[in-house]
Amino acid sequence: MSTFQDLGLQDNLLQAITDLGFEKPSEVQEKAIPILLEEETDLVALAQTGTGKTAAFGFPMLQKINVDSRTTQGLILSPTRELCLQIANELKLYGKYCKGLNVTAIYGGASITDQAKQVKRGAQIIVATPGRMKDMINRRLVDISKIEYSVLDEADEMLNMGFKEDITAILSHTPDEKNTWLFSATMPKEVATIAKKFMYNPKEITVGHKNEGSKNVSHEYYTVNSRDRYQALKRLADANPQIFSVVFCRTKRDTQKVAEQLIEDGYNAGALHGDLSQNQRDLVMKAFRNKQIQMLVATDVAARGIDVDDVTHVINYQLPDEIETYTHRSGRTGRAGKTGVSMVIVSKSEVRKIKSIERIIKKQFEKKDIPDGSIICEIQLMALANKIHNTEVNHEIDKHLDSINEMFEDTSKEELIKKFFSVEFTRFYNYYQKAKDLNVSGGDRAGGSGESTRYFINVGRKDGFDWTSLKDFLKEVLELGRDDVFKVETKDTFSFFNTESEHQQKVLDFFTDYTYNGRFVNVEISENRRGKRRDGRKGGKRDGKRNFSGNRNDGKRSDRKSKRSNSGGFGDSRPRRSRR
Ligand code: ADP
Ligand code: MG
């Protein structure tokens, strides 16, 4: 076990490390720092979040650059504004005894002129998001032609967020001789491709196993019908009264909707996604840190900067499109030596994805049942009892005690307790008495065992579709996941496709009045695989005006959609929780 001194760091950096209270290097620091200090080499480092990657590249960069020069020598690309600021601030702390050091953060949503001014003052290190960086290069506000060290931080996330082209463009403005250090929690193919393209013979270090999640996190999945997702979420929350969680949704819209519904149902919830202003996001994060928000509903992108240590549960309301992303999600809990639970709500057709995730995280999921009403009532009752037991008496009450005592003169302690608890409890009891079992049996993880439905659709190659583009189109308009539409077969003027039968109603409902190229799109259940058309249904109402325009803001369409999702399980709004 080495010390920071052993790694070869200079005194001015060691002094900052002492000030920061870092006692010994983390594993990734121990492995990366000596290599980066001693060699002019490219590097690929795989390590989970929270393992100290910033210092692993930050200290070597600080030691190697020339602070007496005002030339930009180091460029760090990172996926979000939050991470950008975090890294820039850390570097300033690490370099507090490097006289003349200028670290500038460059990110969207703030004045580009101010940022350009800061760079002009002589930033030796720039920490940037790819989008803003490219912008500034195009406007010639930065000069990165003398870069010696470039870092791709959270490379997997940047690629997930679609920054591949921006990164490529940015790196093309940097000299070939520079060293590139790539840091990533996971190693999907895209990252390997980038590494190959931009790096020369990189050294590789791995902390823990590739793509492996935190040891402190246990993984559970719950199989329900898609329409019961929201109910299931509420039950999981009710069964964990002390929950402090991040709830992940796939889209901004779902994120907003789930959060709103939770708030309406009396939970301490908030939404975090890219359509909110920076100010709104900051407020939500502040409330979450203060635990005023117990359930933070977030998109993957927005959750990237969350650095809260005591999250008890991560709930995957929907699985991510990219399975690799699961590692990031579950990494929001089980931090700083604490234990955490990552829960996944899946429909029957998604159960097979659990197996793929298990392969990536090298851990088994536990299949669990959504707790039934009686269990939840018991948990809530005991939580209430605990809360009362631990409550400090407020002596303001003393002056009213006489009249209260008078009222309860003839009430025994036992009866009083019963009445007292009933005040809070009856709401839960009434709600859960009628609550049905949400669990779907069968959900065999070998998977795909669910019934599937085959459809006929009257668009085909003549409309410019091949099977992949039709699959993408259906996935998109029906808001289904990547594996939910399958066996797509395109003919000249018509095609066939399958979904799990649980999506059948959704599919038929959606295509009742949908036009494409001025033609009504007709979707029917196909009776055999060769696609003999069933007679019954002839394409539904013809008065709608929905177009294949990809325009999500078409009023009519979004109206319809929200109506549809209301009947999809968001409508139920009991029991209400008392707000704390
Ligand atoms: P990552 O980028 O791998 O997610 P960070 O670099 O953000 O991790 O570090 C996570 C936290 O750990 C930061 O608050 C950082 O200050 C702290 N940290 C980093 N290295 C050490 C160390 N050697 N000892 C103690 N704390 C550390
Ligand atoms: Mg980091």
Side-chain angles (χ1 to χ4, degrees), residues 4 17 20-26 28-29 47-57 59 83 86-87 90 94 153-154 332 335:
F4 279 106
I17 288 172
L20 282 161
F22 292 2
E23 282 167 10
K24 52 182 191 332
S26 69
V28 68
Q29 292 160 4
Q48 291 302 307
T49 42
T51 50
K53 292 192 284 292
T54 318
F57 62 75
F59 282 117
L83 284 171
Q86 223 169 288
I87 294 168
E90 286 268 309
Y94 300 166
D153 191 31
E154 312 265 1
R332 298 296 110 205
R335 290 165 68 95

Coordinates of all heavy atoms in Angstrom, one line a residue, residues 4 17 20-26 28-29 47-57 59 83 86-87 90 94 153-154 332 335, ligand 1:
F4 N 0.8 8.9 -1.2 CA 0.9 9.8 -2.3 C 2.3 10.2 -2.6 O 2.7 10.4 -3.8 CB 0.1 11.1 -2.0 CG -1.4 10.9 -2.2 CD1 -2.3 10.8 -1.1 CD2 -1.9 10.8 -3.5 CE1 -3.7 10.6 -1.3 CE2 -3.3 10.6 -3.7 CZ -4.2 10.5 -2.6
I17 N -2.9 17.9 -0.9 CA -3.5 16.6 -0.5 C -3.7 16.5 1.0 O -4.7 16.1 1.5 CB -2.6 15.4 -1.0 CG1 -2.8 15.4 -2.6 CG2 -3.1 14.1 -0.4 CD1 -1.8 14.4 -3.2
L20 N -6.6 18.6 2.0 CA -7.8 18.0 1.7 C -8.2 16.8 2.6 O -9.3 16.4 2.6 CB -7.8 17.5 0.2 CG -7.9 18.5 -0.9 CD1 -7.4 17.9 -2.2 CD2 -9.4 18.8 -1.0
G21 N -7.2 16.3 3.3 CA -7.4 15.2 4.2 C -7.4 13.9 3.5 O -7.9 12.9 4.1
F22 N -6.9 13.8 2.3 CA -6.8 12.5 1.7 C -5.6 11.8 2.3 O -4.5 12.3 2.3 CB -6.4 12.6 0.2 CG -7.5 13.2 -0.7 CD1 -8.7 13.6 -0.1 CD2 -7.3 13.3 -2.0 CE1 -9.7 14.2 -0.9 CE2 -8.3 13.9 -2.8 CZ -9.5 14.3 -2.3
E23 N -5.9 10.6 3.0 CA -4.8 9.9 3.7 C -3.9 9.1 2.8 O -2.7 9.0 2.9 CB -5.3 9.2 4.9 CG -5.6 10.2 6.0 CD -6.5 9.6 7.1 OE1 -6.7 8.3 7.1 OE2 -6.9 10.3 8.0
K24 N -4.7 8.3 2.0 CA -3.9 7.4 1.0 C -4.6 7.4 -0.3 O -5.8 7.6 -0.4 CB -3.7 6.0 1.6 CG -5.0 5.4 2.1 CD -4.7 4.0 2.7 CE -5.9 3.1 2.9 NZ -7.2 3.6 3.2
P25 N -3.8 7.1 -1.3 CA -4.4 7.0 -2.7 C -5.4 5.9 -2.8 O -5.3 4.9 -2.2 CB -3.2 6.8 -3.6 CG -2.0 6.7 -2.8 CD -2.4 6.7 -1.3
S26 N -6.4 6.2 -3.6 CA -7.4 5.2 -3.9 C -6.7 4.3 -5.0 O -5.7 4.6 -5.5 CB -8.7 5.8 -4.5 OG -8.4 6.3 -5.8
V28 N -7.5 3.5 -8.1 CA -7.3 4.0 -9.5 C -6.1 5.1 -9.4 O -5.3 5.2 -10.4 CB -8.6 4.6 -10.1 CG1 -9.1 5.8 -9.4 CG2 -8.4 4.8 -11.6
Q29 N -6.0 5.8 -8.3 CA -4.9 6.8 -8.2 C -3.6 6.1 -8.1 O -2.6 6.5 -8.8 CB -5.2 7.7 -7.0 CG -6.4 8.6 -7.2 CD -7.0 9.1 -5.9 OE1 -6.4 8.9 -4.8 NE2 -8.1 9.8 -5.9
A47 N -13.0 2.5 -14.1 CA -13.3 2.5 -12.7 C -14.7 3.1 -12.5 O -15.1 4.0 -13.2 CB -12.2 3.4 -12.0
Q48 N -15.3 2.6 -11.5 CA -16.7 3.1 -11.1 C -16.7 4.5 -10.6 O -15.6 5.0 -10.3 CB -17.2 2.2 -9.9 CG -17.5 0.8 -10.3 CD -18.5 0.7 -11.4 OE1 -19.6 1.3 -11.3 NE2 -18.2 0.1 -12.5
T49 N -17.9 5.1 -10.6 CA -18.0 6.4 -10.0 C -17.6 6.4 -8.5 O -17.8 5.4 -7.9 CB -19.4 7.0 -10.1 OG1 -20.3 6.0 -9.8 CG2 -19.7 7.5 -11.5
G50 N -17.1 7.5 -8.1 CA -16.7 7.6 -6.7 C -15.4 6.9 -6.3 O -15.1 6.7 -5.1
T51 N -14.6 6.6 -7.3 CA -13.3 5.9 -7.0 C -12.2 6.9 -7.0 O -11.0 6.5 -6.8 CB -13.1 4.7 -8.0 OG1 -13.2 5.2 -9.3 CG2 -14.0 3.6 -7.7
G52 N -12.4 8.1 -7.3 CA -11.4 9.1 -7.2 C -10.7 9.4 -8.5 O -9.5 9.6 -8.6
K53 N -11.4 9.3 -9.6 CA -10.8 9.4 -10.9 C -10.3 10.8 -11.2 O -9.2 11.0 -11.8 CB -11.8 9.0 -12.0 CG -12.1 7.5 -12.0 CD -12.8 7.1 -13.3 CE -14.3 7.5 -13.3 NZ -15.1 6.8 -12.3
T54 N -11.0 11.8 -10.7 CA -10.5 13.2 -10.9 C -9.1 13.4 -10.4 O -8.3 14.0 -11.2 CB -11.5 14.2 -10.2 OG1 -12.8 13.8 -10.3 CG2 -11.3 15.6 -10.7
A55 N -8.8 12.9 -9.3 CA -7.4 13.1 -8.7 C -6.5 12.2 -9.5 O -5.3 12.6 -9.7 CB -7.4 12.7 -7.3
A56 N -6.9 11.1 -10.0 CA -6.1 10.2 -10.8 C -5.5 10.9 -12.0 O -4.4 10.6 -12.4 CB -6.8 8.9 -11.1
F57 N -6.3 11.7 -12.7 CA -5.8 12.4 -13.9 C -5.4 13.8 -13.5 O -4.5 14.4 -14.1 CB -6.7 12.4 -15.1 CG -8.1 13.0 -14.9 CD1 -8.2 14.4 -14.9 CD2 -9.2 12.3 -14.8 CE1 -9.4 15.0 -14.7 CE2 -10.5 12.9 -14.6 CZ -10.6 14.2 -14.6
F59 N -3.9 15.2 -10.7 CA -2.6 15.5 -10.1 C -1.5 15.4 -11.2 O -0.6 16.2 -11.3 CB -2.3 14.6 -8.9 CG -3.0 15.1 -7.7 CD1 -4.0 14.4 -7.0 CD2 -2.7 16.3 -7.1 CE1 -4.7 14.8 -5.9 CE2 -3.4 16.8 -6.0 CZ -4.4 16.1 -5.4
L83 N -20.8 18.0 -13.7 CA -19.5 17.3 -13.6 C -18.3 18.3 -14.0 O -17.3 18.3 -13.4 CB -19.4 16.1 -14.5 CG -20.2 14.9 -13.9 CD1 -20.3 13.8 -15.0 CD2 -19.6 14.4 -12.7
Q86 N -17.7 20.5 -11.1 CA -17.1 19.7 -10.0 C -15.7 19.4 -10.3 O -14.8 19.6 -9.4 CB -17.9 18.3 -10.0 CG -18.2 17.8 -8.7 CD -19.2 16.6 -8.8 OE1 -20.4 16.8 -9.2 NE2 -18.7 15.4 -8.6
I87 N -15.3 19.0 -11.5 CA -13.9 18.8 -11.8 C -13.1 20.0 -11.7 O -12.0 20.0 -11.1 CB -13.8 18.1 -13.2 CG1 -14.5 16.8 -13.3 CG2 -12.3 18.0 -13.7 CD1 -14.7 16.2 -14.7
E90 N -12.5 20.8 -8.1 CA -11.5 19.9 -7.5 C -10.1 20.3 -7.9 O -9.2 20.3 -7.1 CB -11.8 18.4 -8.0 CG -13.0 17.8 -7.3 CD -12.7 17.0 -6.0 OE1 -11.8 16.2 -6.0 OE2 -13.4 17.3 -5.0
Y94 N -6.9 21.0 -5.8 CA -5.6 20.2 -5.9 C -4.4 21.1 -6.2 O -3.3 20.9 -5.8 CB -5.7 19.1 -7.0 CG -6.8 18.1 -6.9 CD1 -7.2 17.3 -7.9 CD2 -7.5 17.9 -5.6 CE1 -8.2 16.4 -7.8 CE2 -8.5 17.0 -5.5 CZ -8.9 16.2 -6.6 OH -9.8 15.3 -6.5
D153 N -13.4 12.2 -19.8 CA -13.9 11.7 -18.5 C -15.3 11.2 -18.7 O -16.1 11.8 -19.4 CB -13.9 12.9 -17.4 CG -14.1 12.4 -16.0 OD1 -13.7 11.2 -15.7 OD2 -14.7 13.1 -15.2
E154 N -15.6 10.1 -18.0 CA -16.9 9.5 -18.2 C -17.2 9.3 -19.7 O -18.3 9.7 -20.2 CB -18.0 10.4 -17.6 CG -17.7 10.9 -16.2 CD -18.3 10.0 -15.1 OE1 -19.0 9.0 -15.4 OE2 -18.1 10.3 -13.9
R332 N -25.7 5.0 -8.0 CA -26.1 6.2 -7.2 C -26.3 5.8 -5.8 O -26.5 6.7 -4.9 CB -27.4 6.8 -7.8 CG -27.4 7.3 -9.2 CD -26.5 8.5 -9.3 NE -25.3 8.1 -10.1 CZ -24.1 8.7 -10.0 NH1 -23.9 9.7 -9.2 NH2 -23.2 8.3 -10.7
R335 N -23.0 4.1 -1.8 CA -21.8 4.9 -1.9 C -21.2 5.1 -0.5 O -21.9 4.9 0.5 CB -22.1 6.2 -2.5 CG -22.4 6.1 -4.0 CD -23.0 7.4 -4.5 NE -22.1 8.5 -4.4 CZ -21.4 9.0 -5.4 NH1 -21.5 8.3 -6.6 NH2 -20.6 10.0 -5.4
Ligands
ADP1 P1 -15.0 9.7 -9.7 O1 -14.7 10.7 -10.7 O2 -14.3 8.4 -9.8 O3 -16.5 9.4 -9.6 P2 -14.2 11.7 -7.8 O4 -12.9 12.0 -8.4 O5 -15.3 12.6 -8.1 O6 -14.6 10.2 -8.2 O7 -14.0 11.5 -6.2 C1 -15.0 11.2 -5.4 C2 -14.8 11.8 -4.0 O8 -13.7 11.2 -3.3 C3 -14.5 13.3 -4.1 O9 -15.2 14.0 -3.1 C4 -13.0 13.4 -3.8 O10 -12.6 14.6 -3.2 C5 -12.8 12.2 -2.9 N1 -11.4 11.6 -3.0 C6 -10.7 11.4 -4.1 N2 -9.6 10.8 -3.8 C7 -9.5 10.6 -2.5 C8 -8.6 10.0 -1.6 N3 -7.5 9.4 -2.0 N4 -8.9 9.9 -0.2 C9 -10.1 10.4 0.2 N5 -11.0 11.0 -0.6 C10 -10.8 11.1 -1.9

